[in-house]
Amino acid sequence: MMNTERCVGVLNVECELPPGTDHLAGSMINSETFGLPVLMETVRGASLDLVMRGDTTLEASYEAAAQRLVERGAVLITSYCGGAIQYQAAIAAAVNVPVVTSSLMLLPVLLRQIPPSAKIGVMTFDARAFRDDWLGITDPASRHRVVIGGVEGGALFHNESSCPPQSTSVADIEEDVLTSVARLRASNPEIAALLFSCTLFPPAAAAVRRSTGLPVHDIVTLCQATLRSVS
């Protein structure tokens, strides 16, 4: 039976979440963030390693998980792992609600919002593991305007890499992201806007905006804009 209560549907890989993650202010899996219930659906067989590699055998599992979320009342499908952008087309074709798997979908729009000489700073969990093809940019000049920074070595990185994962406070997330942003801006003073590709970063967005004075975009801002477009 289809659930008639509107909600945000979040696809997740097969992994354990740190305790209290859904209560962090600003987290995409905190229902207060969107003013709607947030329902999560694990994608069967979707280990983090396979998703990061873009294993095509997971397409059917992503499609089925998204369909289950729609049946449960989801008016928007998103993902708690940005690597799911590799399955964006398959998921969007499988459901009749908007699908936004990653904040990286905003990149072409953001590049047009800033001067041609300016850059976008993409903040990710681990810059060493970031795949260039996720950007969806083929023009070399546009690619030159995108720089990548990660939070390797910080408290968030350490806690999320632990087994099982450990909780990280909002204060620690803010410190890690601000440190990474400062490092990236020092080597790229042309940065005019920031895009958080990591779904763990939205709780730090407000602090980063205050500290840097820069526009900060993430999966939460993308989902909020999309939700405003649906009845």
Side-chain angles (χ1 to χ4, degrees):
M1 179 181 296
M2 181 173 290
N3 183 4
T4 57
E5 184 180 13
R6 288 163 44 94
C7 65
V8 175
V10 180
L11 299 165
N12 196 23
V13 297
E14 291 184 333
C15 69
E16 182 179 352
L17 296 179
T21 302
D22 57 341
H23 296 302
L24 286 179
S27 170
M28 70 175 297
I29 60 173
N30 183 339
S31 293
E32 293 184 2
T33 298
F34 302 114
L36 287 174
V38 173
L39 297 181
M40 299 192 75
E41 185 79 32
T42 298
V43 179
R44 292 168 188 161
S47 68
L48 183 59
D49 179 61
L50 289 178
V51 173
M52 297 296 278
R53 296 207 312 261
D55 192 312
T56 57
T57 64
L58 293 178
E59 283 190 2
S61 293
Y62 265 99
E63 293 167 1
Q67 289 166 349
R68 291 194 296 271
L69 283 169
V70 172
E71 290 173 358
R72 297 170 67 188
V75 295
L76 168 71
I77 301 296
T78 185
S79 173
Y80 199 51
C81 175
I85 193 171
Q86 298 166 105
Y87 307 102
Q88 170 70 31
I91 301 168
V95 295
N96 60 354
V97 300
V99 176
V100 289
T101 52
S102 171
S103 62
L104 292 173
M105 296 171 65
L106 289 168
L107 198 50
V109 174
L110 299 183
L111 284 169
R112 297 182 67 178
Q113 289 182 359
I114 61 176
S117 59
K119 294 181 178 180
I120 301 284
V122 173
M123 311 310 300
T124 188
F125 183 71
D126 187 347
R128 301 165 301 183
F130 191 88
R131 289 181 48 173
D132 207 65
D133 59 319
W134 295 350
L135 298 174
I137 297 176
T138 56
D139 175 49
S142 295
R143 177 62 187 89
H144 180 70
R145 299 173 61 205
V146 179
V147 290
I148 315 294
V151 295
E152 306 91 322
L156 179 63
F157 187 89
H158 173 77
N159 291 339
E160 289 290 329
S161 302
S162 300
C163 187
Q166 302 299 306
S167 300
T168 307
S169 68
V170 171
D172 281 343
I173 297 173
E174 291 174 349
E175 181 178 351
D176 287 355
V177 176
L178 281 167
T179 298
S180 180
V181 167
R183 186 165 55 240
L184 193 63
R185 293 182 77 193
S187 55
N188 298 275
E190 310 92 336
I191 290 176
L194 297 168
L195 177 61
F196 292 173
S197 71
C198 179
T199 60
L200 302 174
F201 292 173
V208 175
R209 291 186 188 104
R210 289 193 302 269
S211 176
T212 65
L214 295 176
V216 176
H217 306 267
D218 56 31
I219 190 64
V220 167
T221 59
L222 176 56
C223 287
Q224 288 172 334
T226 307
L227 284 169
R228 291 190 188 100
S229 72
V230 299
S231 59

